[in-house]
Amino acid sequence: MEIVIPQVEREKDTFEVKINFRDLTVNKNDIELALGYTEGAIPVHFEEMVDDVLSQLPSHCEIQAGYRLLDVNKSDDRNDGLFVGDKFFKLHKIVTSQLRKSEKAALFISTIGPAMETWAKTLSTEGDIALSYLVDIVASVTEEQTTDVLQDHIEKQMQMRGLKITNRYSPGYCDWSVSEQHLLFSFFPVNFCGIVLTDSALMVPIKSVSGIIGVGTEVKKVNYTCDTCGMKDCTYRAYRRGKTKRTN
Amino acid sequence: MDELVVRISHCVENGKINKASPYPNAMKGMEGADELTKQALDAAIGPDAILQACNDGMQRIGERFSRNEVFVPELLMAAKAMHAVMAHLEPFFKSGTVKVKGKFVLGTVAGDLHDIGKNLVRMVVEGNGWEVIDLGVDVKSTKFLDAIKNTPGCIVGLSALLTTTMVNMSKTVQEIKIQFPATKVIVGGAPLTMDAALKMGADGYSHDPQGAVTFLDKISAA
Ligand code: B1M
């Protein structure tokens, strides 16, 4: 049965998406991959610790997610970014070309809240550094999963309007400056989804992700164009590669 | 080399803390860094030799980490085993019988709250015989400057995880270089490169903790 996640329109075209922990499928293989191990190569001791963390994960997640739909204004003479609403986002030409045919854009943010972070900090203070690190990694993977679920949700919502979506892109990836987080957050109500942006463009809680998804009749999802990007050690490249390996 | 010392080194490298510790699987039930250090001291093996064994073990695991043969969890277990050894050596450090290689002031720069990378650097550097003065996260440049003033001859390490906080890193490096031109600074963290490090006026960059140790050892040897 297909899961329908409820959403609430908090302001015009600004939606809070009520993602539940049960909507996520936190995959142990993704955790192993995030730790650096190839599938099945994690030492037994750490695998048991990961199992332990996973068993306590639901009670340490306070998921909040949302998005705002805005008009995209095309500027044919520029390939260095895009007007979203009344603001210009400076993007790499690869991302600009993926989003160019969008009529709308969904700016999104999501978080799993601060509890995993607090747990990891407590463990670290108590000297249990390995477990603390595993808690942190499980939290990161869970947050990535949350964003996957949010993206699927946005896709379904747009399908209901007869629209398609692009891949998601985040400030800090694909040559999109992290400082543009300030621009992105300017479109959200203050404290939206319980996330605060600091002066240095850091989201608090730390386990949060932001980004943009293009929406329209002419857009499509494509394989990530990691090969054309100069950032060779970007983890998203590795993450994507790992996912592709497993699903294919 | 004494067999006990070799075993201590092996325990540190493989993260075997004590007999009760179930890690690593292959050493379950065996004596660990804790028991063996005690035995070594009882057998009148010098603390210097034990410290060297500890450093060697940490260096080997650090190098394996750099080669992607092991990952952060293994490195952390090694650091824990190393701490078990250090607990026994504490009185010798206090009395001055054994000496650290030097002092390393470390922190995550202002505006940045990330601590895992910085903590890893701390543990590996400590494990290699340095005293680390950890200033924590979100450290303003004034705090770095105060620490340098209070720690003559120290080397400074700065960590950052986002390009936006690299701006503060750059400012901090510049302020350090103005007030303490002779102080050596190394920077690290995911968004950094050697190029960016040199541009901001740092003396070194490393993408992993072991590289920071190599940098420090080179300076102390010079
Ligand atoms: C003094 O000498 C030294 C020497 C060595 C030193 C040193 C000092 N300090 C560190 N080192 C070195 O030693 C340590 C051990 O090897 C290392 O320390 P690290 O702290 O780097 O490593 C830790 C032990 C483990 N590493 C980590 O914990 C970070 C791993 C990566 C994959 C990562 C993760 C997991 C996450 N992230 Co994000 N994330 C990435 C990271 C990519 C990467 N390859 O590192 C990075 C840091 N993230 C990035 C970005 C952009 C973002 N992330 C975000 C979110 C997330 C998740 C929530 C999904 C998750 C958790 C984040 C967290 N901080 O807890 C966002 C920001 C979150 C926020 N709170 O503001 C967001 C802004 C994306 C968005 N728009 O939503 C990139 C930053 C690039 C930039 N331009 O600034 C990034 C490099 C990914 C990339 N593009 O490849 C070395 O750097």
Side-chain angles (χ1 to χ4, degrees), chain A residues 153-221:
Chain A
H153 170 84
I154 294 172
E155 183 166 30
K156 279 179 199 144
Q157 290 295 318
M158 295 308 116
Q159 274 166 0
M160 288 194 274
R161 299 178 185 207
L163 300 167
K164 290 182 279 189
I165 67 163
T166 66
N167 302 34
R168 65 171 190 259
Y169 298 95
S170 292
Y173 284 86
C174 307
D175 242 351
W176 184 7
S177 169
V178 190
S179 59
E180 296 236 327
Q181 285 273 61
H182 291 290
L183 210 55
L184 195 148
F185 269 71
S186 69
F187 286 105
F188 295 127
V190 175
N191 212 16
F192 188 50
C193 297
I195 302 173
V196 173
L197 191 71
T198 66
D199 290 345
S200 52
L202 186 75
M203 291 180 281
V204 180
I206 297 284
K207 302 300 174 188
S208 304
V209 168
S210 66
I212 188 170
I213 296 173
V215 175
T217 48
E218 300 293 313
V219 301
K220 56 176 192 246
K221 279 204 258 180

Side-chain angles (χ1 to χ4, degrees), chain B residues 6-21:
Chain B
V6 174
R7 284 173 67 197
I8 292 171
S9 187
H10 183 71
C11 283
V12 170
E13 178 181 355
N14 292 288
K16 179 68 178 168
I17 304 163
N18 54 30
K19 198 169 178 185
S21 166

Side-chain angles (χ1 to χ4, degrees), chain A:
Chain A
M1 202 180 71
E2 209 181 345
I3 312 161
V4 179
I5 298 171
Q7 65 173 30
V8 176
E9 189 163 9
R10 184 161 156 196
E11 285 177 10
K12 189 171 166 0
D13 287 333
T14 305
F15 301 91
E16 276 173 10
V17 183
K18 304 292 178 194
I19 298 174
N20 198 295
F21 184 80
R22 287 189 304 275
D23 301 325
L24 312 182
T25 36
V26 182
N27 188 323
K28 213 157 101 177
N29 291 334
D30 285 342
I31 294 165
E32 291 181 16
L33 194 75
L35 287 166
Y37 302 103
T38 50
E39 214 169 306
I42 184 171
V44 183
H45 182 73
F46 301 134
E47 190 180 0
E48 286 168 6
M49 286 161 84
V50 168
D51 286 337
D52 182 33
V53 176
L54 284 174
S55 71
Q56 299 187 56
L57 179 63
S59 60
H60 285 83
C61 280
E62 300 144 33
I63 298 170
Q64 293 196 63
Y67 65 99
R68 178 165 176 193
L69 267 184
L70 289 146
D71 289 332
V72 169
N73 298 306
K74 288 167 208 133
S75 163
D76 289 336
D77 53 331
R78 293 187 77 160
N79 66 356
D80 62 338
L82 218 59
F83 278 98
V84 178
D86 58 346
K87 290 179 178 139
F88 187 75
F89 282 97
K90 198 163 170 12
L91 306 165
H92 189 272
K93 63 175 187 301
I94 304 168
V95 183
T96 310
S97 68
Q98 305 297 340
L99 295 174
R100 155 149 261 135
K101 291 182 180 157
S102 310
E103 288 138 41
K104 286 186 177 294
L107 299 182
F108 68 84
I109 48 174
S110 74
T111 184
I112 58 161
M116 287 293 277
E117 236 172 284
T118 311
W119 184 18
K121 281 228 159 67
T122 309
L123 287 167
S124 170
T125 318
E126 288 166 354
D128 209 340
I129 46 180
L131 187 59
S132 164
Y133 176 69
L134 295 178
V135 168
D136 186 89
I137 291 292
V138 170
S140 296
V141 172
T142 309
E143 173 48 24
E144 279 282 1
Q145 247 289 302
T146 303
T147 313
D148 287 347
V149 171
L150 177 62
Q151 180 175 353
D152 288 348
H153 170 84
I154 294 172
E155 183 166 30
K156 279 179 199 144
Q157 290 295 318
M158 295 308 116
Q159 274 166 0
M160 288 194 274
R161 299 178 185 207
L163 300 167
K164 290 182 279 189
I165 67 163
T166 66
N167 302 34
R168 65 171 190 259
Y169 298 95
S170 292
Y173 284 86
C174 307
D175 242 351
W176 184 7
S177 169
V178 190
S179 59
E180 296 236 327
Q181 285 273 61
H182 291 290
L183 210 55
L184 195 148
F185 269 71
S186 69
F187 286 105
F188 295 127
V190 175
N191 212 16
F192 188 50
C193 297
I195 302 173
V196 173
L197 191 71
T198 66
D199 290 345
S200 52
L202 186 75
M203 291 180 281
V204 180
I206 297 284
K207 302 300 174 188
S208 304
V209 168
S210 66
I212 188 170
I213 296 173
V215 175
T217 48
E218 300 293 313
V219 301
K220 56 176 192 246
K221 279 204 258 180
V222 293
N223 283 334
Y224 276 87
T225 44
C226 294
D227 295 342
T228 46
C229 169
M231 197 172 173
K232 295 296 173 218
D233 56 354
C234 170
T235 356
Y236 207 61
R237 183 194 294 261
Y239 177 74
R240 281 282 142 203
R241 205 186 293 132
K243 282 219 139 178
T244 322
K245 244 192 246 159
R246 267 195 310 282
T247 46
N248 284 352

